[in-house]
Amino acid sequence: MLSINNLSVHYGKIWALKGIDMEISQGEIVCLIGANGAGKTTTLRTISGLVKPTDGTIRYKGMSIGNLEPPDIVRHGISHCPEGRQVFPRMTVMENLEMGAYTRKDRHKLTEDYQRVFDYFPILAERRWQLAGTLSGGEQQMLAIGRALMSRPQLLLLDEPSLGLAPFLMEKIFEIIQMINKEGVTILLIEQNAYQALTIAHRGYVMETGYISLSGSAKDLLHNEHVKKAYLGE
Ligand code: ATP
């Protein structure tokens, strides 16, 4: 579904991605783990068109998307839920969700999409007329995921969805990611919580300073000695 070849990204003189290769098949949950500054967020931002590659290719369903603008990439079925939630604080929950559908031509048909988000996150239905800035951190995270679903993505890019959440909410978010995947959405997930991520993922990539240092099935990575020491705290 997504095929990344020899992808490089520079921010001025900083070489953030140094020729990475990555494959994501339809239906998978793939996780990306690595230390701060390894290049995980840059990878997601490049796929969604927010950052332009300096070298290499990104192909989505066979089509080269490396130079498309973000709205076109959303229209092709890729949605990005950024790190740090980034909901629109002065808009209501409903307005935030509506913003997630801004690229859709059938915006008069959003009722079932709101309902789908509310089925995943019933608390958002209760708070639908509340300003997003007044929601708790966990609720804002749910809203950010819900907003990303409103474009009906086939590939969902999730950047640190569990960051800063209480443990019970973290578990819930991981359960919901699995539910979204079971309904047919392919997922690329960045997580600091490597254990949880590898538990729900099919495959994973480990990034270190702009390189992919390791990749494999989530099961193999969970048992890999380097991953255990560096990322699983064993
Ligand atoms: P984190 O978990 O901290 O977000 P990351 O693995 O997602 O880390 P990136 O945010 O992709 O890493 O950063 C990769 C490298 O690029 C780092 O050296 C970072 O300092 C640098 N970088 C990221 N964004 C910018 C930017 N807008 N301008 C300049 N350098 C940047």
Side-chain angles (χ1 to χ4, degrees):
M1 184 180 214
L2 190 82
S3 179
I4 294 178
N5 288 106
N6 194 32
L7 185 69
S8 277
V9 169
H10 289 77
Y11 295 107
K13 286 185 181 159
I14 296 172
W15 196 4
L17 295 186
K18 300 172 182 165
I20 66 165
D21 295 313
M22 200 178 277
E23 293 286 336
I24 301 175
S25 301
Q26 188 148 1
E28 284 191 303
I29 300 179
V30 174
C31 73
L32 201 49
I33 58 177
N36 285 348
K40 307 179 298 296
T41 295
T42 301
T43 304
L44 256 54
R45 289 173 63 82
T46 313
I47 297 169
S48 59
L50 295 165
V51 173
K52 297 296 170 211
T54 41
D55 201 4
T57 56
I58 306 175
R59 298 187 80 78
Y60 172 69
K61 297 182 173 176
M63 162 182 46
S64 178
I65 60 164
N67 285 310
L68 294 186
E69 292 306 315
D72 294 322
I73 291 176
V74 176
R75 279 186 202 101
H76 284 299
I78 300 179
S79 184
H80 184 169
C81 180
E83 186 178 15
R85 302 173 197 131
Q86 300 178 24
V87 293
F88 301 108
R90 290 169 198 277
M91 289 184 171
T92 63
V93 166
M94 287 301 275
E95 287 165 342
N96 267 273
L97 293 176
E98 194 184 349
M99 290 300 282
Y102 82 106
T103 55
R104 281 179 47 185
K105 292 204 179 85
D106 57 345
R107 288 174 63 171
H108 55 288
K109 286 196 203 155
L110 295 185
T111 316
E112 66 185 81
D113 299 271
Y114 292 126
Q115 194 50 53
R116 178 178 176 219
V117 172
F118 295 151
D119 288 344
Y120 287 133
F121 305 112
I123 190 75
L124 294 182
E126 283 174 37
R127 305 216 186 291
R128 68 181 82 186
W129 306 118
Q130 209 167 304
L131 294 182
T134 66
L135 300 177
S136 72
E139 290 159 2
Q140 289 189 27
Q141 186 60 65
M142 294 176 196
L143 179 56
I145 297 173
R147 184 183 57 186
L149 289 173
M150 291 297 293
S151 63
R152 293 200 181 168
Q154 291 158 53
L155 173 62
L156 178 61
L157 311 173
L158 290 172
D159 196 342
E160 304 269 11
S162 80
L163 194 70
L165 299 187
F168 78 97
L169 260 182
M170 200 184 277
E171 299 249 325
K172 173 123 184 89
I173 291 281
F174 282 110
E175 263 173 38
I176 287 169
I177 293 170
Q178 279 183 299
M179 282 163 66
I180 293 169
N181 174 251
K182 288 208 172 95
E183 291 193 356
V185 182
T186 305
I187 291 175
L188 177 58
L189 168 70
I190 296 184
E191 259 299 326
Q192 287 293 330
N193 189 335
Y195 178 77
Q196 283 275 21
L198 287 169
T199 305
I200 66 161
H202 301 103
R203 287 188 308 111
Y205 289 88
V206 179
M207 287 193 81
E208 284 170 31
T209 59
Y211 297 100
I212 304 280
S213 58
L214 203 58
S215 65
S217 74
K219 216 176 184 179
D220 287 348
L221 291 176
L222 270 174
H223 294 106
N224 178 283
E225 287 306 321
H226 173 66
V227 172
K228 277 193 196 171
K229 280 205 191 91
Y231 304 106
L232 302 177
E234 286 182 26

